[in-house]
Amino acid sequence: MIASLTQNQPAWHRKDLISIAALSAAEITQLLDTASAFKDVGTREVKKVPALRGKTLVNFFVEPSTRTRASFELAAFRLSADVINISASTSSLTKGETLKDTAKNLEALLADIIVLRHSSAGAAQFLAERLDASVINGGDGAHEHPTQALLDTFTIREKKGKIAGLHIAIIGDILFSRVARSNIHALIKLGARVTLCGPPTLVPRSFESLGVEITHDLDALLPQVDVVNLLRIQHERQRKEYFPSLGEYTAFFGLTKQRAARLRDDALIMHPGPVNRGVEIDSDIADSSRSVILDQVTNGLAVRMAVLFLCASARAS
Ligand code: CP
């Protein structure tokens, strides 16, 4: 199966995955196709392949995470790699060790792949330029979250059969969202029409340079779209109030039951998690049949298997 993954595909040459902005449409498609093959592994009785046997992955999370960290850990197990998890609070970062020194020490322990989540934009690129190990960006500040965009794109392609030509709305706190940036790059490269919607303070016109449209009228937008992707308010990255109150935000930009009724019957409702129920999305809508929020999480496993497999293979060759 592993040999068949790379047949008829352009050679993947990157040891690191730092951003979607750096990828071509062909590279994104290769990642999605490889993830499709790995998703089949999850349907077998023995859900493991030996692709990364003998390799060591370090999950180095300097910011909190549930989905990304657990998903990379499980993806590595499914590929037969060994895994260790390090968090900021239990590492020697708390004693003043630098990020570079910590990572160099992990490499000295023969880590082959380091998955880094960090609050500073550029942290993953910084390490990738200094380490022989593969570095995978698990989210860096408000810059990028490439595997989230890949799993979102994978889920849309799986449910709709295509990306090109779809109209996709990304709603909410765009300014501080690494998920939004990575999604915009992936969807535009694959030929989707993307409209951003939220308060003007959180959806500045400068995003138009990425090839998206912008509106602040959610009620008018909802009947037009194939997919609506709702973002969490990133309180941890906002340094001042960008809207009067959460209640005011929900009144204008929350996917309430009344607003969800404006969507087409076949529209997908997405959210990268963690969800603030009752703020960006009504709790019942988050659990409704049109919501693919948990499918996104399931698909993240196959997507991360693909990323680990391709980056480790490129490093080895
Ligand atoms: N979507 C996402 O990145 O979730 P976590 O912060 O739980 O990893």
Side-chain angles (χ1 to χ4, degrees):
M1 176 213 133
I2 292 167
S4 70
L5 285 175
T6 48
Q7 275 170 11
N8 306 320
Q9 296 276 13
W12 177 270
H13 67 281
R14 298 176 188 274
K15 80 170 178 71
D16 312 301
L17 178 64
I18 306 301
S19 71
I20 299 292
L23 303 184
S24 65
E27 288 175 306
I28 296 169
T29 303
Q30 184 178 8
L31 282 162
L32 300 182
D33 291 347
T34 308
S36 292
F38 277 125
K39 189 161 179 182
D40 290 342
V41 172
T43 63
R44 297 182 197 163
E45 198 168 319
V46 178
K47 297 179 175 54
K48 249 183 154 167
V49 291
L52 295 191
R53 191 160 52 201
K55 305 285 184 201
T56 301
L57 177 140
V58 178
N59 252 339
F60 186 14
F61 277 63
V62 182
E63 264 194 347
S65 166
T66 298
R67 280 147 289 269
T68 310
R69 201 181 86 147
S71 180
F72 268 115
E73 184 169 358
L74 200 47
F77 284 143
R78 292 248 169 115
L79 294 167
S80 306
D82 299 314
V83 183
I84 60 169
N85 288 292
I86 297 181
S87 62
S89 59
T90 55
S91 78
S92 289
L93 288 173
T94 58
K95 301 176 193 167
E97 187 168 57
T98 65
L99 177 67
K100 179 183 164 192
D101 281 340
T102 302
K104 281 279 187 192
N105 278 271
L106 295 173
E107 197 173 52
L109 291 167
L110 305 183
D112 297 287
I113 306 169
I114 296 177
V115 179
L116 178 70
R117 170 167 289 189
H118 201 281
S119 56
S120 295
Q125 179 70 39
F126 176 83
L127 285 193
E129 289 168 2
R130 287 160 180 79
L131 299 181
D132 292 328
S134 289
V135 177
I136 312 296
N137 184 3
D140 62 330
H143 174 226
E144 282 229 30
H145 191 347
T147 56
Q148 181 68 45
L150 290 168
L151 74 88
D152 290 343
T153 309
F154 183 95
T155 304
I156 296 169
R157 194 178 78 158
E158 183 180 63
K159 303 286 179 193
K160 293 285 186 187
K162 62 178 185 178
I163 299 293
L166 294 180
H167 188 182
I168 295 165
I170 305 178
I171 315 293
D173 178 358
I174 309 293
L175 183 62
F176 292 96
S177 174
R178 54 196 176 206
V179 174
R181 283 174 179 77
S182 290
N183 262 274
I184 290 166
H185 289 304
L187 294 168
I188 293 287
K189 284 171 195 257
L190 296 179
R193 175 182 172 196
V194 178
T195 300
L196 309 181
C197 182
T201 46
L202 293 175
V203 189
R205 289 275 160 203
S206 56
F207 276 86
E208 284 173 341
S209 65
L210 301 179
V212 300
E213 297 162 48
I214 290 177
T215 178
H216 307 296
D217 185 347
L218 183 56
D219 288 330
L221 175 64
L222 289 176
Q224 302 175 35
V225 299
D226 300 290
V227 179
V228 58
N229 194 353
L230 300 144
L231 302 179
R232 184 175 65 88
I233 300 295
Q234 313 271 308
H235 294 293
E236 69 274 27
R237 281 192 270 284
Q238 292 181 10
R239 292 189 176 81
K240 58 179 177 148
E241 294 303 329
Y242 282 78
F243 45 86
S245 68
L246 283 181
E248 187 92 353
Y249 178 85
T250 304
F252 283 92
F253 299 106
L255 191 64
T256 59
K257 284 195 183 72
Q258 293 82 351
R259 284 220 175 84
R262 301 178 72 82
L263 285 165
R264 297 208 296 252
D265 288 344
D266 63 349
L268 301 181
I269 297 171
M270 305 181 74
H271 192 304
V275 173
N276 288 316
R277 287 174 182 262
V279 178
E280 63 267 10
I281 186 168
D282 176 89
S283 191
D284 290 341
I285 299 298
D287 297 333
S288 69
S289 59
R290 279 187 293 178
S291 163
V292 295
I293 295 172
L294 293 179
D295 300 87
Q296 293 170 257
V297 178
T298 302
N299 288 334
L301 183 52
V303 161
R304 289 175 175 124
M305 288 173 78
V307 168
L308 296 177
F309 170 72
L310 289 174
C311 290
S313 302
R315 177 173 176 258
S317 63

